[in-house]
Amino acid sequence: MDTAPTCYKFIDITSDKKLRQGFITSANFPDNYDNSLNCEYVIHADPLHRIVFYFDQFNLEPSTGCTADKLVIEDLFSRRSETYCGIVPQFSWMSDSNEARIHFLTDDSQTYEGFVIGYEIKDRPPASEFNLHMTDSTGTFTSPNFPEAYPKNSKVQYYIQVQPDKYILITFHEFWLESGDIVTTPWSSSRSQSPQPTLSCPDKIVVKDIYYSNFLLDTYCGHQQEFTWISRSNAVIVTFTSDANEEFRGFTVSYRSLQRTPPADWELIFRNVAGNYENTYSRWIDPRAYGFFPPDIKSTLYRELYKSDLMLDWTELGIKRIKINLYKDGVNVRQLRFYAEESKSNTDWFKCENLIYSPYTDLRECDLTGDDRRVFHLPFEIEDGHAADSNCSFGKMWFDLEDVSALTGFCYYETTSAGRPYFAYSTRDTAGDTSSGEGIGFADIFAIFIQRDCHDYVDLDTTATATVKSRLVRGLYIKNEVCDITVQLKPDERILMQFTHFVLQQGDCNQDYVEIEDVLSGAADKICGTQDQMTWTSSGNSLLVRFRTDSAVAFTGFIATVSKEIRDIEDCSAVNYDDEGTLVNVVKPIPTTGFFLEDCTNVIHVHPSQKIVITFSKFDYQFDDCPQFRIDDRTDDAEGIVVYGSLYPFSWTSQSNELIISYCALTPYRNYLVYNATYTSISTIQAAAVISFKDAEIPGVFSWPQTTATNTDSFLIIRLHPNDLRRVILTISDFVLSDQSCSSFMKIIDTTTKRESMYCATEFQPFTWTSDANEVLLHFKHNSNEQHQVNADYRSYHRTRFDYYSFFTLEHFDESGSFTSPDYPTKYPNNRNYEEYLIHAPPSYIIVITFSKFSLEDETVTTTEIKCEHDFVELYDIQTDPVVFCGTKSPFAWVSTGNEVLVKFLSDSHTVKTGFFAKYHFQPRLSDQSCEGLFTADVGNFMSPGYPYQYDNNVVCQYRFQAAPGKKIHFKFLHLDIEDHVDCANDFITLIDVTSGKEKAFCGFKQNAPITWESDSNLVFGKFSSNDHYKFSGFLATYEVKNVDKSSACVQNFDGISGHVSSPWFPSSYPNDITCVYTITVAEGFLINLSFDFFDIEEKNTDTNACDYDYLSITNPVNSQENQIICGKKDDLQIGISNNVVVLTFHSDFIKVGPGFYITYTQTDQTGIQPITTGCDEQLTSLTGEFTTPNHPLNYPLNMDCVYTITVEKIYKIVLNFDPFNVEFQDTCKYDFVQVVDEAGGTDKKYCGRYSDPLIIHSTNNKLIIKFHSDNMTPSTGFRARYESWLLPTSAPIITGCPHIELTQKSGIISTPNFPRNYDLNLDCSIRIALPENYVCVIRFETFDLEDDEKCSYDYVKLLSLPGGEEQTICGNRNSFVWTSTTNICQVDFHSDEYITKGGFKATYEGVQIQNIIPTSSECVQTLMSQSGSFSSPNYPKYYDLNKECITTIFVPYGNVIEIKFTGFEVEYEENCSYDFVQITELPSQVKSPKYCGAFDEFKYTSKSNKVKVALSSDEYVSAKGYSASYKTISHY
């Protein structure tokens, strides 16, 4: 100590029991302390005790590091000390030993009120190695020996002390102690005031808040789930004791400190002056408020009595502490302090049991009994206004208000003036003597102060519910409020907080707000504004509620009811605080013994400004022993639902911010309980909005919600019980909204699928919106400046399971979409009930559906009607009655009357067929319904607007004519008077066959013979349009529905230079019993080439070996030798016609059908055609030559046998190259074939079919025999063959290959001539290496130095894989490298020009065997013919192979184009895509797209034709992932 203390006090509390507690105050207290103090207080207890200090008030000069005024408290044994200054809340400090010192120092600057410190002794715990003293802000501790069992007969104390401005949150993570029998004692001893059944605790933990030990002391034992405990002050003692019986695992604990708020200022609420005429007591209990706050509380100059208007609402103020001050001559001479938070009346505040502090030592134990008559009871007097009995001989007085006696009192100090108060007090530290008046003085001023504290601590030990609310003054909450409310229950309980009122300042929740924190999980919400139906469920046993207000505006605040529930311990239960999440059933192992019910509860909590949508994608709950699977809303007025059975996906929207999912599950059978749910919060729903719910089970109506607020949101949820298995249909009959910026709108959302539509402009016609599942949410945004009107109705309609359901719409209304029966084009499955397709268009559109393929089980025909009783398609127009189709039908179309169609497909257990393929597109509706119509009668008439009078300008009318499938419509114009134009570009009436695309426009004046037009199918659209020029009388027309004549349905003529011919309904199967005639005519002097891209019809009759069933006849009208009939399946067939006209006749019988055919025809000239000869044998002896089939490139003749013999000098071998090669295909080549005989090599092989790459054959020696044979049908274009002679291979150590040489050894050395010297000029050398099958060439270039050039056009080496493989040209100077062929034959060509020479190259080669080679055709060549699909590069997403060209050919019906969407694309990058690339080729035009390489996220390609080839080409170096793509068919009507 630097200097000796100027004041010193030694307090010995070892002897007198009454002195074992007391107070230490700063000098002059309750007035400000002096400057330059150095005071020391030493408190000494006996060695068995330690000392607890209670800092009831602490108000010193604040300073950083406590460099000004400060208080230092120190344990004199352990030397542990803390230094305090400033203003801090009530806190405690406990010594380690029996002696402590307080050192109080002040400087010479400011002074403050000082401190009041209470002290008392407590028993010291037995010495133990496990005792802990923790002062860090966070920490952990465990039971002794944890995780092993704790020892018997233990007593351990854990003391936690944090900074005075903090409090402590303790979490018990594991807790398993011995528990005893059930007894009737308080479960938590200090907080229960009525006995209740609980467990006795032989082993236990006692948790005590040191400062608030009378209020906050809890005992725990047994086996508890994770729970928390929250202190009110800065210090806690946790005491663990165990007895001599069983030991258990014990406990693990963590703690952390939280910030406390500073104490509130004291507020004057009552003041009176001695001698005043105002009666003190009667004024105090008066329910009124009066007076003005005095400028100086201590001064007698202001003599008016003052009572604050706060006392009008004092029960709402949250008053926690009261103090009475007496002033004499401006000095505070006495102060008493009381607790007030438990008081029910303001007259109860001053009872002795509420006393916190008094300056009198004999009042430190308020004993209300005994001879010493220690009575301290207000109203501020003792026994009816008298200090003692009538002679004052037994009275003791600490404090008295003498204001009731009208006469002179019996005691000398009582007033002689009736009703005028005098304030008597004891001037000693004990009571004054009333009999002698000794130690009694009189004060000038009497004042009462309150300290408000909105902090609250709620437990429900003695009551089922409690109410927490904001403090109010004159109906509004208090500004600048800082309130913390702690709710703490037993470990096995959780908290439900339900707000019945919540109105705070609106905004971003940074001004006035309530923040609720779940202590166990840490989840928290900050809430402001106005909220409705707001709840909070804790996951554990504690909640923290923080209420903050600023100084701006005040509102009516909040009121909440707090209740308790039993916490769930099942593994299938949880409280979920995320805004979105997943719930699934929990499967537990089957127990070994017994069965038992487990109640599972999942609470879903979102922010109170939000609602919850829970969506079950799977649900199957069918337990007889378990009564219910419930979905309950936390609001009292919301009825829950019980769901059961095997249900379709469904959703349910909460009315509050919490939902409870509860069910029971027999543990052994949990595997049979299946549910999978996701939940999300709807953040757009605000509490200020209008929210309502409707049940669609009973049809009803709704309109735009009525609200007077501006820019508000209103919400309507229309739903059905999930067990109903129905959907919601909305019909909006009126929708008026003038806003085009969508500041006002109506949004419709299916809460299950999240499909939504927004409407923000007036719709002129009624429209519908059909949900996918059971619930629809309508969101209305109201801008008060906009006119709005909605009139609508709702109803329900049955639905199917989701895996049988599809939704369709179009992003771009000029496109089309498609849908098919299940498994199309293969047969659909039995018992499909129902397959549903919902097609949704915008309100101003109708839907056109075209069935290009329709083959279902036939109708049931009776004498009275035709029914679709088995398999059928139902088209439900939503607004009209459904129509049903079945059987097999030619292409037909159907049009809706509204904007939605629900298509249903059903199959029974009997016959199945290929089903249907349908396309749909949207057609605009006219806003003027008087100028459009749907005609469904078999006959009728229609006319222009106003006929026979003149039509108006700028008129557009629509007419739709709908007949049954298999029908066509015949039109006759009886009168036509429309503005004339050569192209009918001004005014016109147009008729369009929707299915076939046939179209005709009519205009002009016709008055003689009627004009007729006939459709091909059953649906025709008519459109009448006038411009702003002239007016005429218009038209009058009739129509009649007729049957379609099958024989003329597919007679077509083609006259372009190229085109496509296909079988009916291609690529779907063609119909039975049909004959089609296609006539192709090209320009005079040209010929026709037919390329069969696809051909698959019924096979030959095996008995007659002829095409007797389905067939295609090809007729050349001027050359019957080319006529032929084909059937079966043909691959890449080509037929040439030596005429400019050919007739194709297709016939199908009554039985089998097939996919059909697709033919590309092109006009070609006569160059190179060989004359037809009867003999075609040739002897060829030159070193090179060429020969063809007769008549090539046209069809070769039937029944031909030709022999071509090639013989060259013996030093050569023959290399034969067929390009092109197109001979009728058959698996064993038994019809038409080319036979190559190599007698020296002993090979004799037949070839047929079509080769896209050159067919190259090497002879063994100098002779080859080629035989060609054709049978009596199906000729093709044949072949053109070229041959050359190569020197036979020789052996040499190093081979240069000049001029060329072929090697068969599996290894060797090759080089340029003269190597290692420079090679010569003007060289052309070739080395061919022929290895056995399943081998490749691996060439290792050790040295490589050639003349360099960017394009390698001077000197170069060319590396080739033969036949038909890739080639690579290399030049310049390179380091050593390796090249590998892709085939078993490779070739190295070397060329030098006439200028520069270099060192050349040297390389070794080796034949390497490749095992299990996969043919290229099965690895990366494919043809796709469906309307849509997906494809990828080989191995995707793994890397594609090197040196590959993979081709995907996509083929859709004629008249369509293909949209290809690449969803993943990664190919080796080079600026010009010269290494690896993807390129798309249009067929048959061969127009190529740019090359694509590098990496793309997504891109599209739309073809110009109906057939494309997608090629991936890779070189020998770098690979990548390749691509993944999908495609779809796009139609142009």
Side-chain angles (χ1 to χ4, degrees), residues 138 297 305 341 354 453 553 577 741 991 1061 1254 1314 1328 1505:
T138 61
I297 298 172
L305 184 141
E341 57 184 313
N354 290 336
D453 182 357
V553 294
Y577 294 106
S741 64
L991 297 175
V1061 180
N1314 305 327
R1328 179 168 293 188
S1505 64

Side-chain angles (χ1 to χ4, degrees), residues 199-258:
L199 291 175
S200 63
C201 292
D203 299 349
K204 61 187 175 183
I205 271 187
V206 178
V207 188
K208 180 171 65 173
D209 186 305
I210 295 177
Y211 190 91
Y212 294 98
S213 59
N214 290 333
F215 299 94
L216 200 53
L217 183 148
D218 293 292
T219 302
Y220 304 111
C221 62
H223 189 188
Q224 307 293 343
Q225 54 186 317
E226 189 175 25
F227 69 97
T228 57
W229 188 94
I230 305 172
S231 73
R232 296 177 67 175
S233 71
N234 72 310
V236 171
I237 288 182
V238 180
T239 304
F240 166 63
T241 57
S242 63
D243 64 6
N245 297 319
E246 298 177 90
E247 314 109 295
F248 288 82
R249 182 180 174 89
F251 54 84
T252 62
V253 181
S254 65
Y255 74 88
R256 59 188 172 100
S257 60
L258 302 175

Side-chain angles (χ1 to χ4, degrees), residues 1017-1306:
S1017 65
N1018 69 313
L1019 181 62
V1020 173
F1021 281 179
K1023 179 180 179 181
F1024 172 70
S1025 176
S1026 66
N1027 61 15
D1028 57 359
H1029 295 160
Y1030 306 104
K1031 300 179 181 180
F1032 295 86
S1033 60
F1035 69 87
L1036 171 66
T1038 65
Y1039 73 90
E1040 180 182 3
V1041 175
K1042 296 183 176 182
N1043 291 321
V1044 173
D1045 182 5
K1046 286 188 177 181
S1047 62
S1048 62
C1050 53
V1051 176
Q1052 300 182 49
N1053 297 311
F1054 300 87
D1055 54 11
I1057 62 172
S1058 65
H1060 305 278
V1061 180
S1062 63
S1063 54
W1065 304 354
F1066 183 84
S1068 302
S1069 298
Y1070 52 80
N1072 295 109
D1073 188 28
I1074 194 166
T1075 299
C1076 299
V1077 179
Y1078 311 94
T1079 302
I1080 303 172
T1081 304
V1082 299
E1084 290 284 348
F1086 287 85
L1087 312 179
I1088 300 172
N1089 182 70
L1090 302 177
S1091 177
F1092 287 73
D1093 301 304
F1094 184 85
F1095 193 92
D1096 186 1
I1097 63 177
E1098 189 176 0
E1099 294 286 348
K1100 293 180 181 179
N1101 184 340
T1102 55
D1103 295 332
T1104 63
N1105 197 32
C1107 296
D1108 296 331
Y1109 307 134
D1110 301 349
Y1111 60 81
L1112 180 70
S1113 169
I1114 303 172
T1115 303
N1116 182 341
V1118 298
N1119 187 350
S1120 60
Q1121 293 187 46
E1122 295 180 355
N1123 296 348
Q1124 56 179 305
I1125 296 175
I1126 58 176
C1127 59
K1129 186 174 183 178
K1130 308 293 181 185
D1131 290 333
D1132 292 327
L1133 177 66
Q1134 288 202 22
I1135 295 177
I1137 304 299
S1138 60
N1139 184 29
N1140 71 318
V1141 178
V1142 65
V1143 179
L1144 308 180
T1145 303
F1146 172 64
H1147 172 77
S1148 67
D1149 62 9
F1150 287 91
I1151 308 176
K1152 292 184 178 181
V1153 295
F1157 58 83
Y1158 187 86
I1159 302 170
T1160 300
Y1161 75 87
T1162 54
Q1163 174 181 294
T1164 184
D1165 58 27
Q1166 303 182 23
T1167 304
I1169 297 177
Q1170 303 295 319
I1172 298 177
T1173 60
T1174 56
C1176 53
D1177 296 346
E1178 289 190 52
Q1179 296 288 332
L1180 305 170
T1181 58
S1182 62
L1183 292 179
T1184 61
E1186 181 177 309
F1187 58 97
T1188 69
T1189 49
N1191 208 28
H1192 182 79
L1194 298 181
N1195 292 358
Y1196 48 75
L1198 302 176
N1199 300 310
M1200 293 291 293
D1201 284 290
C1202 302
V1203 179
Y1204 310 89
T1205 303
I1206 305 172
T1207 307
V1208 296
E1209 295 182 39
K1210 293 184 178 182
I1211 62 172
Y1212 294 100
K1213 60 178 276 188
I1214 300 164
V1215 179
L1216 182 61
N1217 187 336
F1218 290 94
D1219 187 16
F1221 188 99
N1222 191 5
V1223 176
E1224 181 188 7
F1225 176 77
Q1226 194 273 335
D1227 290 342
T1228 60
C1229 295
K1230 69 178 182 179
Y1231 301 142
D1232 301 353
F1233 58 82
V1234 171
Q1235 184 176 6
V1236 180
V1237 180
D1238 185 344
E1239 295 175 342
T1243 60
D1244 186 343
K1245 187 173 181 180
K1246 290 182 178 180
Y1247 301 89
C1248 61
R1250 182 180 180 185
Y1251 285 79
S1252 58
D1253 295 320
L1255 172 61
I1256 300 175
I1257 299 170
H1258 292 258
S1259 69
T1260 305
N1261 63 1
N1262 65 321
K1263 185 176 180 180
L1264 275 180
I1265 300 172
I1266 298 94
K1267 299 177 181 180
F1268 169 70
H1269 169 78
S1270 66
D1271 62 5
N1272 61 350
M1273 60 190 305
T1274 318
S1276 192
T1277 55
F1279 63 79
R1280 177 181 298 275
R1282 301 172 181 83
Y1283 72 91
E1284 59 184 19
S1285 302
W1286 287 19
L1287 287 172
L1288 289 170
T1290 59
S1291 297
I1294 299 180
I1295 299 103
T1296 62
C1298 291
H1300 64 257
I1301 192 170
E1302 180 165 335
L1303 307 175
T1304 58
Q1305 299 92 335
K1306 292 182 180 178

Side-chain angles (χ1 to χ4, degrees), residues 55-267:
F55 288 75
D56 183 69
Q57 173 171 305
F58 194 87
N59 188 355
L60 272 59
E61 180 184 4
S63 61
T64 304
C66 293
T67 56
D69 302 348
K70 62 185 176 181
L71 183 146
V72 180
I73 186 167
E74 178 184 20
D75 185 286
L76 293 177
F77 177 80
S78 67
R79 314 308 293 183
R80 177 173 62 89
S81 67
E82 275 82 31
T83 301
Y84 305 119
C85 61
I87 301 174
V88 294
Q90 291 79 27
F91 68 98
S92 62
W93 190 93
M94 187 165 64
S95 68
D96 303 320
S97 66
N98 66 317
E99 198 167 68
R101 179 181 64 180
I102 295 175
H103 193 190
F104 177 47
L105 297 134
T106 65
D107 62 9
D108 57 359
S109 57
Q110 302 178 56
T111 64
Y112 286 75
E113 190 175 2
F115 54 82
V116 175
I117 305 173
Y119 59 86
E120 66 176 339
I121 62 171
K122 297 290 184 182
D123 292 339
R124 296 178 69 178
S128 172
E129 60 178 308
F130 301 111
N131 289 339
L132 289 179
H133 190 119
M134 294 164 280
T135 57
D136 293 334
S137 59
T138 61
T140 60
F141 58 95
T142 69
S143 55
N145 300 333
F146 187 88
E148 303 299 328
Y150 51 78
K152 300 177 181 178
N153 298 314
S154 295
K155 183 171 184 179
V156 181
Q157 281 197 351
Y158 308 88
Y159 174 54
I160 307 171
Q161 178 187 301
V162 296
Q163 292 299 312
D165 59 346
K166 301 288 196 299
Y167 64 101
I168 302 167
L169 190 157
I170 299 176
T171 302
F172 291 87
H173 302 286
E174 294 189 49
F175 194 96
W176 201 334
L177 306 182
E178 182 186 5
S179 60
D181 299 328
I182 295 178
V183 295
T184 305
T185 58
W187 190 89
S188 293
S189 57
S190 70
R191 290 189 292 167
S192 294
Q193 298 185 15
S194 60
Q196 52 184 314
T198 185
L199 291 175
S200 63
C201 292
D203 299 349
K204 61 187 175 183
I205 271 187
V206 178
V207 188
K208 180 171 65 173
D209 186 305
I210 295 177
Y211 190 91
Y212 294 98
S213 59
N214 290 333
F215 299 94
L216 200 53
L217 183 148
D218 293 292
T219 302
Y220 304 111
C221 62
H223 189 188
Q224 307 293 343
Q225 54 186 317
E226 189 175 25
F227 69 97
T228 57
W229 188 94
I230 305 172
S231 73
R232 296 177 67 175
S233 71
N234 72 310
V236 171
I237 288 182
V238 180
T239 304
F240 166 63
T241 57
S242 63
D243 64 6
N245 297 319
E246 298 177 90
E247 314 109 295
F248 288 82
R249 182 180 174 89
F251 54 84
T252 62
V253 181
S254 65
Y255 74 88
R256 59 188 172 100
S257 60
L258 302 175
Q259 186 67 44
R260 299 168 70 189
T261 55
D265 293 334
W266 290 96
E267 299 173 79

